[in-house]
Amino acid sequence: MALPFIRPGGMILIEDIFRNTSEEEYEKRLENVLDQFSFCTFLTVEHDQRFSGTWNNDKILVLIKK
């Protein structure tokens, strides 16, 4: 696991988050590590070059380590 190597204030970006899955579901699956982060948010990507086909996975999860 890479988490011990992320410095305080370091950022983790996780791409290809499915739009149809609730953010609460992702947070529930991360509950054992979320306490190590000072900030957690989801970004929904909207731009004219966006293409995910039928995957519909154009969200990004942003985490900032404490």
Side-chain angles (χ1 to χ4, degrees), residues 25-38:
E25 181 64 30
Y26 284 104
E27 290 171 355
K28 187 170 88 173
R29 293 184 182 261
L30 292 169
E31 67 186 357
N32 60 334
V33 295
L34 277 182
D35 63 330
Q36 297 182 50
F37 296 96
S38 61

Side-chain angles (χ1 to χ4, degrees), residues 31-56:
E31 67 186 357
N32 60 334
V33 295
L34 277 182
D35 63 330
Q36 297 182 50
F37 296 96
S38 61
F39 182 77
C40 171
T41 193
F42 292 86
L43 302 175
T44 302
V45 180
E46 297 288 351
H47 55 83
D48 61 349
Q49 298 297 314
R50 183 176 77 85
F51 178 76
S52 62
T54 59
W55 289 92
N56 201 21

